[in-house]
Structure formats: C-alpha cells, structure tokens
Amino acid sequence: MMLIIATPCFCERERLIQLTTAAGVLSSLKNYFLNGCVFLLTTEYHTETRPSSVKLGRLLSDESILTTHVPLHSFNHTLADYKCRNSGPLNVILSGDIRAMSSLRQLSETTSLSGPTWLMFSNVSSLEELLDDINIPFDCEFLVARQGENGVIILTEVYKTATGRPLLNNYFGYWASKMKFRFSSADFYSRRSSLQGLLISVATIENPPITAFEKIDGQMKLGGYFGVVWQVLEQRMQFGTNFTFPEDGGRGSVLINGTATGMIKMIQDKQVHVAVDAFGMSGIRAMVVDFTVPLLSTRYCVFVKSPDEVKLQWDNFLAPFSLMLWIAMVVTALIISVHLTLLCYLGERYGNQEAKEIKFYTLSDSLLLVLGLFCQQGHDTTPQTYSCRVVCISTYIIAMMVFGTYSATFISFLAVQDNRLPYTDLKSLLEEGGYTFGLSSKHAQNYISERSRQFLESKFGESYQDDVQPSVLDGLQRVCNSEYSYLIPMDTALAFKGRVDCEIVPLPRETSLYIPQGFAIVKHSPYRGLFNYNLNRLRANGLLYKYRVYDSMRRTCSKEKRIWTNVRLEEVMAIIILLLAGIMVSVVELLLERVTASRTLMQQQRPPRSPGLHPSNISSWQMEDNCELEQPDVV
C-alpha cells in the first residue's frame, strides 16, 4: 500500500499508471517481441519521474529482465552502447511531457527510429496532437500505452507513410493483468499493408524483356516481366508511381573509385526511391543501394557467333542413354538369347513341338533374333512351344519401350542444335580463338571471376572495362560482324536473338555465373520490408512464376508461321557413315564368300589325279576295259 501511494504518475493527466501495471506491460511486450533488454528513457529535468524509473527497474530486474536507465536527450539507439547482445531492445519513454516530446523530435530528425521497439506511456486523448511533428517511419514499431476503463491498458501502434503525411494508428491490443492480455496476432505488414496513395518516384529504362513500355487504353504503362510485377505491387500496396529516366540511359553501376552511374546514381543522390529493372545483386552495389528479394536468377554468359561448320558428334547417338543403361541392355539381350536357346534345346530334347521342326535358334540365331527385336524387326519362324513364345513377346514389349524412349531423346538431340565450341573458357577464347571481349554494361565486370578478371587485365589492361556497347542490340550485332565476344544475361540475349543477322551461342556453363536479380531501392528504405513481404506472397502463390511464363510465352509465340528446325546433313553424317561402312563390309564379305565358294566348287569338280603311266599298268587297264566291254547281258 505504501508503494502504491508513493508511486507518482508517468504522465501529467488525471489517470495514473501504477508501477506494477507498467512492469507487467513491459514484461508481456518483451516476451511478445522477444526483446533482449529494456532501456528506460527519462527526461533530465523531470526529476519526479526518476524515483519511479528506479523502482520500475527493480521490479523488472526481479523478473530477470535486463534494464538500463538512460536520459532521453542523450539517447541514440544507433550506437553500439544502446543495443542488446542477442536481439533488439525495447525502448520505453516513461512520460509524454513537453520535454520528452522535444527530445524525441530531435532524435527523429537526426536518426531514423526504425529498428528497435518503442513504447511510450501517455494518457493524452489525441495522439495526432502529441506525435504529429515527430517522424515515425513506416517500418517503425512505436506503441503508445494509455489507461482505459477498469485499469485496462490500451496499446495503439502509430506510424506515418512518409515525412509530412498524417499520423496513422492501429489498435494493437490490451493488457489487464499478467494472466489476462491480448496482443495482435496478425504479422507486422498485415497490420499496415497500405501506403495510403503515396506517390513513389521510380527510375526505369526500356530493357525488353525485363521492362518495356506499352500503350494500354491510350496510356503508357510499364510492361515486361518486372513491369507487370510492379503494377501488381501498386495495386496491393496502394501507391502511385512517378517515372523518371536516367540521363545516360543505363542501368547503372558502381565504379572502382566509388562513383555511381545510371539509375544507381539517381538512387544514391535520392532523386528516386526505387529503380525498376533487373539489378544483379553484387557486393559493390550493396554499398550504395539495397535490393528487394530476387524476382529471378539469370545466367550471365559470354556469347559468340555460332560456327558455320558443324562438327561431327559421334556421341550424340550414344548420349540418350547412360553407359550403365547401355551395359544393362547388352546384358539383357545376352540373357534373353541364352534363355531362348536353352528353351528351344529342351523342347527338341524332350520331344515337344520344337522336335518336329527344323533345328533352329542356336545361340547365334537367338542373338540375331533378339537384336532384330530391339530394332523393331520381325522374324520368319515362330517358336512352337509357349515358353519360347512368352520369351519373344516379353522381348517385343521391352524392345518397344526402349526404342520409344531412345527415339524421343534422340530426336531432341537433332532438333536442338548444340554446336560444341573448340574453347571452353575466356583464355582459350581470346588466345586460341582470337576473339576480343566486351561488356553489356560497366557493372558486368563485377560478375567476372577473379581469375578471369586477372587474365583480362593482363591481356587488355583496363581497356576491356571501357568496351561497353551503347545498347544490347549493338553488342550482339557486333558479335555477328566480327570475332567479338559479349557478356550479357541469358534472358536478355534470348529476347534479342531474333533481331540479329546470325546465330549466337553461349560459352559452356563453366564460364557462366548465376546472379539473383531484383529491384534496387534506396538504402535503409522504410518500404523495403513491405515490398519483400508482398513479393514473397506472390512467389508463394505462384504468381511470380505465372507472370514470368506468360511474358516469355507472349514474346516467343506470335502469329507468324512457325519456323521448323532443319536437320542438316552434317548432323546425321555419322549415321550415313555407319550405313556406308556396313555396306562396304557386307560387299567385302560377299566377295570373300564368293571367292571361297568358287574355290570349293572347283575342288569338288576337278577329276582325281591319274597315276603315272607305267608298262606294268597298261595291261591291267586294258584288261579292265575288256572286261567291262565283254560282260554278258544279264536277263
């Protein structure tokens, strides 16, 4: 009782907030926000609140809550001394008097209040009058605790969408006792999902297929994949857009000396708040701007002109199946052949139907039969026993499935032309191929590996950094007209692929690099969290994938006649060579068989060799002849 009587109020109004009540509110909020510590902020000249803060700190310490007393006029939450070890602090303003508001106003003008959780005890009926001239950012969690009927503490969160705009407030919850309280169950950005028609300045460029301006109902709107996503964000977050364009027409980058260009410079100079384009998330850029969550991950590739001649690729005919699968097929064919031969032998041996037929299906015959079945060929003689027929039917089914699988994969090898280049990295490209190297933009040098960068600097010095093409189309056209290589994102290259005079191909994947890309936004923007929240919702609902696929199909599918892929003679030359080789081998074998058969026939038709003429033999020959002539007729 003496403690309650001696307790002064935290405000200068008629209703008092007791120390035990304040301690209970702070303990509950600390557990709700998972704060690591509590800073009790007091005013230097308001001496009557000092004993209250000391007693309140003791009550919190009894509950194992780390508490520190700090004068409000010297408090700066951005300093390391005013941070908790594990998580963010809970900053408590014990009074809403004039001096406290003056100190809080000065703090909001010098630093942003975003980051920690703020709580102010006040019973002022009009929060707009109390906090109207204080800059409370959109992403700042600032709560005001006021005592209601029956001692219930009403908690209200306040914020502004931008400096100079009206103060907004949401009901957060109430506290009646340590066992009876209820705070908001909705997450932070669900409670404040609207920007209330705020106009955001945005920089962008024409960069199909990422961004493209389209005329819809007489108005110019930003299209492309990123443009469509931006339109969806406008509707979900309820804000407007004021588009501006960079003077140099570039996406922008950060140079080695720290200066920025393009849209990055516009963000750095606070000319715009967001840049809508596919910005690769590099470390040097992150020093100047922040990024939203990635909307896509593209592959930066080095593109060169496709070689005119097509090299013979023998492994294309073996590539549809792996080595183990080919081995499994050979082993299967051998097992089936042995099985069929054994069944036919047993049928002949034990007097089954096979014994009535001509002997067939030896091991060599069975191998040829199984090979013919796998090549979808028939056979002239059908086994009589059901066991042999089951083997043949099973082989037919397996062969049909294997043949269909191989044919489908092999057709894709012929339809998708994959010309293998004689070089696989930048060193072989520049030294053996004689190519020069160019960038799509100055920031592209940030994505080159350190080893490749050192090689380029040793070969070209710093000149490759200045070889930036004015546009993507100019760079790709130069690839067609000279021995020139061009570093560019894969999605952008595919969009411009049909507008150049030659076929361009990327270097192998070993020379490429996957880069996540998203919007660029001003450093420490209060709206970055809301952008990320909505983008993650779109990704979880599958809408990001839908917009990207729709944009890709709209670019690739047109009313023009579909261009068929022509399979050139060089690509099937290996099959023709195998066919000609088989014909030549068969002709040679035919000639050898003909020669062998002729010699055998001649040896069979040649008369027996006559013995030598000797006088002793003449009489015997004559006698034999006379006997043959003088034999009487037999009746």
Side-chain angles (χ1 to χ4, degrees):
M1 290 295 296
M2 293 298 295
L3 178 63
I4 297 176
I5 295 174
T7 300
C9 64
F10 290 149
C11 53
E12 299 177 355
R13 297 289 172 144
E14 66 278 2
R15 291 179 180 175
L16 304 179
I17 299 179
Q18 298 178 359
L19 283 177
T20 54
T21 300
V25 173
L26 293 180
S27 177
S28 300
L29 288 176
K30 177 198 176 284
N31 295 331
Y32 177 83
F33 290 108
L34 301 177
N35 300 117
C37 59
V38 175
F39 288 100
L40 299 178
L41 307 179
T42 60
T43 56
E44 181 180 5
Y45 303 103
H46 202 197
T47 56
E48 63 270 18
T49 62
R50 182 64 179 175
S52 301
S53 63
V54 172
K55 296 178 181 179
L56 180 60
R58 291 176 181 175
L59 292 176
L60 295 176
S61 298
D62 292 341
E63 297 184 14
S64 301
I65 299 176
L66 183 60
T67 307
T68 304
H69 304 272
V70 181
L72 180 57
H73 73 278
S74 62
F75 180 74
N76 188 347
H77 63 280
T78 60
L79 300 179
D81 296 336
Y82 302 111
K83 295 183 182 296
C84 301
R85 179 176 299 178
N86 299 323
S87 58
L90 175 61
N91 301 329
V92 182
I93 303 174
L94 298 177
S95 175
D97 60 0
I98 298 176
R99 293 184 179 89
M101 293 299 98
S102 177
S103 300
L104 184 60
R105 185 185 309 108
Q106 294 178 3
L107 181 62
S108 66
E109 291 175 354
T110 56
T111 61
S112 174
L113 299 182
S114 301
T117 306
W118 299 83
L119 174 65
M120 184 177 69
F121 288 97
S122 176
N123 273 338
V124 177
S125 58
S126 177
L127 296 178
E128 290 77 6
E129 297 179 0
L130 181 65
L131 301 171
D132 185 63
D133 56 349
I134 297 176
N135 183 23
I136 303 178
F138 179 81
D139 60 342
C140 176
E141 184 64 270
F142 197 103
L143 300 176
V144 178
R146 293 181 293 180
Q147 185 168 327
E149 300 294 336
N150 300 325
V152 176
I153 303 300
I154 306 299
L155 297 172
T156 306
E157 61 177 2
V158 294
Y159 63 94
K160 294 182 179 180
T161 57
T163 303
R165 292 181 66 90
L167 186 73
L168 303 176
N169 59 83
N170 294 329
Y171 172 76
F172 183 78
Y174 71 91
W175 189 96
S177 65
K178 292 184 178 180
M179 303 301 295
K180 186 178 181 182
F181 62 89
R182 177 175 295 178
F183 300 146
S184 176
S185 59
D187 53 56
F188 182 81
Y189 289 109
S190 294
R191 302 195 301 268
R192 52 182 80 179
S193 59
S194 173
L195 292 180
Q196 305 293 326
L198 179 67
L199 188 63
I200 298 179
S201 57
V202 174
T204 187
I205 58 175
E206 183 84 9
N207 182 26
I210 302 301
T211 56
F213 284 94
E214 303 173 348
K215 192 172 184 180
I216 302 176
D217 298 333
Q219 296 181 354
M220 295 300 296
K221 292 187 177 181
L222 187 62
Y225 172 47
F226 276 46
V228 172
V229 174
W230 184 258
Q231 293 181 25
V232 175
L233 292 177
E234 285 181 330
Q235 298 176 1
R236 293 175 67 97
M237 297 169 56
Q238 299 180 9
F239 67 90
T241 304
N242 181 23
F243 287 107
T244 57
F245 305 94
E247 295 180 357
D248 57 4
R251 181 183 292 115
S253 60
V254 180
L255 304 181
I256 300 177
N257 57 9
T259 60
T261 61
M263 292 186 286
I264 298 294
K265 180 176 176 57
M266 298 178 68
I267 295 178
Q268 185 182 27
D269 297 340
K270 303 297 179 62
Q271 299 178 16
V272 296
H273 198 87
V274 184
V276 178
D277 200 7
F279 286 89
M281 299 179 183
S282 61
I284 191 171
R285 277 181 171 173
M287 298 171 59
V288 179
V289 299
D290 284 335
F291 300 98
T292 62
V293 294
L295 275 72
L296 60 86
S297 293
T298 188
R299 187 160 60 102
Y300 271 79
C301 304
V302 179
F303 280 84
V304 296
K305 182 181 179 181
S306 177
D308 296 331
E309 67 279 0
V310 179
K311 292 191 175 182
L312 194 61
Q313 300 177 5
W314 290 91
D315 58 344
N316 272 1
F317 307 98
L318 300 176
F321 289 163
S322 64
L323 177 61
M324 294 303 299
L325 184 54
W326 284 114
I327 295 175
M329 289 177 56
V330 173
V331 172
T332 301
L334 291 175
I335 293 176
I336 294 175
S337 302
V338 173
H339 194 190
L340 183 60
T341 303
L342 181 61
L343 290 178
C344 291
Y345 172 76
L346 294 176
E348 294 176 350
R349 178 71 178 270
Y350 294 103
N352 293 341
Q353 290 90 338
E354 306 297 345
K356 302 177 182 178
E357 302 291 335
I358 302 175
K359 184 177 181 179
F360 64 104
Y361 290 152
T362 60
L363 182 60
S364 59
D365 294 333
S366 299
L367 284 174
L368 291 176
L369 172 64
V370 174
L371 179 60
L373 295 182
F374 274 93
C375 295
Q376 301 296 298
Q377 301 298 318
H379 54 281
D380 54 350
T381 306
T382 303
Q384 298 299 317
T385 58
Y386 287 102
S387 59
C388 294
R389 291 184 177 184
V390 169
V391 173
C392 292
I393 293 174
S394 303
T395 308
Y396 268 121
I397 296 175
I398 296 174
M400 180 184 65
M401 297 174 62
V402 172
F403 182 79
T405 305
Y406 177 85
S407 299
T409 310
F410 181 65
I411 289 173
S412 66
F413 274 92
L414 296 179
V416 180
Q417 300 177 0
D418 184 16
N419 298 326
R420 297 185 181 179
L421 303 174
Y423 23 80
T424 58
D425 54 12
L426 288 179
K427 185 175 182 180
S428 60
L429 175 72
L430 300 176
E431 291 185 348
E432 301 174 10
Y435 282 77
T436 56
F437 184 78
L439 307 173
S440 59
S441 60
K442 286 186 179 296
H443 77 275
Q445 60 184 313
N446 299 327
Y447 304 127
I448 305 174
S449 64
E450 186 63 28
R451 183 176 180 182
S452 300
R453 187 195 306 276
Q454 294 175 358
F455 171 75
L456 290 173
E457 291 180 353
S458 63
K459 186 174 182 63
F460 299 106
E462 297 277 335
S463 60
Y464 80 95
Q465 298 179 4
D466 298 328
D467 192 6
V468 179
Q469 298 303 310
S471 67
V472 174
L473 191 58
D474 293 335
L476 294 179
Q477 194 60 46
R478 184 176 176 185
V479 171
C480 295
N481 299 333
S482 62
E483 298 295 327
Y484 186 75
S485 59
Y486 194 41
L487 180 65
I488 191 176
M490 175 65 77
D491 293 341
T492 305
L494 294 177
F496 286 90
K497 189 174 182 180
R499 299 171 60 180
V500 294
D501 301 334
C502 67
E503 182 72 18
I504 57 174
V505 293
L507 259 63
R509 291 182 177 269
E510 289 75 11
T511 61
S512 61
L513 181 65
Y514 281 94
I515 301 295
Q517 294 181 332
F519 299 137
I521 193 169
V522 71
K523 204 73 174 175
H524 307 299
S525 170
Y527 314 119
R528 180 178 175 228
L530 183 59
F531 276 112
N532 291 338
Y533 174 81
N534 283 278
L535 290 174
N536 286 327
R537 291 287 300 273
L538 293 176
R539 176 179 285 107
N541 296 335
L543 294 178
L544 282 185
Y545 179 77
K546 171 186 174 182
Y547 297 145
R548 184 177 182 185
V549 171
Y550 172 76
D551 181 73
S552 176
M553 293 180 60
R554 187 178 59 174
R555 287 186 286 105
T556 56
C557 300
S558 61
K559 296 181 180 180
E560 299 178 0
K561 184 178 179 180
R562 184 177 179 181
I563 301 176
W564 291 87
T565 300
N566 296 325
V567 179
R568 290 176 287 184
L569 180 63
E570 295 84 354
E571 298 178 10
V572 294
M573 184 59 69
I575 297 179
I576 298 177
I577 292 176
L578 289 176
L579 178 61
L580 294 178
I583 294 175
M584 294 299 297
V585 171
S586 63
V587 170
V588 171
E589 290 182 352
L590 178 62
L591 294 177
L592 293 177
E593 291 177 354
R594 180 63 178 169
V595 172
T596 304
S598 299
R599 290 182 179 180
T600 304
L601 183 62
M602 291 176 62
Q603 291 178 358
Q604 292 177 354
Q605 293 179 353
R606 182 181 299 174
R609 185 177 179 182
S610 302
L613 295 177
H614 192 270
S616 61
N617 295 331
I618 297 176
S619 60
S620 62
W621 290 348
Q622 291 178 351
M623 290 177 61
E624 290 177 359
D625 294 341
N626 294 333
C627 290
E628 291 178 359
L629 295 175
E630 294 178 359
Q631 287 180 358
D633 296 333
V634 179
V635 179

